Amino acid sequence: MPALAETQQTLRLHAAGSLKAALGDVVENYRAEYGETVAATFAPSGLLRQRIEKGEAAHVFASANMKHPRTLEQAGRGGPVALFARNRLCALAQPEVSVTSATLLDVMLDPQLRLGTSTPKADPSGDYAWALFAKAEGLRAGARVRLEGKARQLTGGADSAKPPEGRNAYAWVMESGQADLFLTYCTNAVLAQREVPGLQIVAPPAALSVGADYGLVVLEGAPESAWRLALHILSPEGQKILADYGFESGALPSAD
């Protein structure tokens, strides 16, 4: 009887919004292979962690950083935490903005330029933008305060405006003219550019480069199949799908 209950239970995956396209495909691949239903919820990682802490049902949590799943692990809510993908921060710029990797800092510091970010603490993408601002301080005295002061926190917060159904949040932010330049994950930037082809993607120079480590945790009390889903995400099959969307993966076998 317990085995029957297990097979009938819908797996609940809570995952970072930046994983929606990639993990959406991984979930479909998992369902096709194992015949198990997965209810996936995508939102800013920090907000998802708070919802889990308040008792919202979730079995697997895939975060855009390591901090949020480790916080749950330290509270006895699950574990161990596994690194399953890496991302990087890129700048998404309007077509008319004159910017290159070499001039990115000067452009961001321009008083006339509207700089957009996600919301720190609620969304790791915002935290990574603040990490980039901290690196900028090492290149230009006073840059960190100026950038933090001018940054418009347009996405990722509990009260952030939501894009229309089916729209990429960053494509919508840029197309609706809310920012001249927006710092987001490179994978998000690629999806936004597909939707609004005129947008520019600019990689920060090495001195400003910020990487993002994505962490995965199976939560306390999850059914056994939750481990199967987590391992599927970590498997070569799941990792290839993530890599196809631009995530860096260390779990792909060599070509030989």
Side-chain angles (χ1 to χ4, degrees):
M1 196 62 158
L4 180 61
E6 160 94 5
T7 58
Q8 291 177 339
Q9 185 170 7
T10 298
L11 282 176
R12 299 190 179 279
L13 169 68
H14 279 29
S18 56
L19 291 163
K20 185 173 184 178
L23 278 194
D25 283 2
V26 173
V27 162
E28 280 304 304
N29 179 269
Y30 176 86
R31 183 196 58 76
E33 188 161 336
Y34 295 103
E36 295 173 357
T37 302
V38 179
T41 298
F42 297 97
S45 300
L47 298 183
L48 287 176
R49 190 205 81 211
Q50 292 172 12
R51 286 160 58 174
I52 293 168
E53 288 170 336
K54 291 176 181 176
E56 184 166 304
H59 300 136
V60 179
F61 176 40
S63 172
N65 67 5
M66 300 294 285
K67 177 181 177 181
H68 293 313
R70 280 176 174 159
T71 297
L72 294 174
E73 180 184 36
Q74 289 163 6
R77 302 292 294 270
V81 175
L83 171 68
F84 72 97
R86 288 188 173 92
N87 209 339
R88 302 206 74 78
L89 213 59
C90 278
L92 193 60
Q94 296 287 8
E96 67 276 10
V97 175
S98 178
V99 60
T100 66
S101 179
T103 65
L104 180 59
L105 180 55
D106 289 327
V107 172
M108 288 194 299
L109 287 169
D110 182 342
Q112 302 304 313
L113 180 120
R114 296 169 303 158
L115 175 62
T117 70
S118 196
T119 306
K121 297 184 181 177
D123 182 3
S125 175
D127 297 320
Y128 294 128
W130 257 241
L132 186 149
F133 297 161
K135 287 194 167 191
E137 182 66 24
L139 301 177
R140 194 83 50 85
R144 178 175 186 169
V145 171
R146 289 170 60 188
L147 292 170
E148 289 181 356
K150 71 178 297 189
R152 299 181 174 196
Q153 299 173 35
L154 299 172
T155 62
D159 300 320
S160 297
K162 300 294 186 290
E165 187 67 29
R167 291 298 310 270
N168 175 277
Y170 310 97
W172 172 71
V173 162
M174 298 299 280
E175 191 175 50
S176 58
Q178 298 178 52
D180 300 310
L181 187 145
F182 196 101
L183 294 175
T184 185
Y185 301 118
C186 297
T187 52
N188 284 342
V190 169
L191 293 173
Q193 190 185 58
R194 287 178 189 170
E195 200 169 298
V196 182
L199 294 174
Q200 306 176 71
I201 299 175
V202 182
L208 290 177
S209 183
V210 175
D213 291 340
Y214 282 52
L216 177 74
V217 66
V218 175
L219 297 163
E220 189 69 21
E224 185 178 334
S225 52
W227 291 96
R228 186 158 51 241
L229 173 60
L231 286 172
H232 191 71
I233 294 169
L234 290 162
S235 73
E237 198 169 5
Q239 293 287 291
K240 183 180 184 306
I241 293 172
L242 285 160
D244 287 343
Y245 278 92
F247 290 92
E248 298 174 19
S249 166
L252 285 172
S254 64
D256 334 322

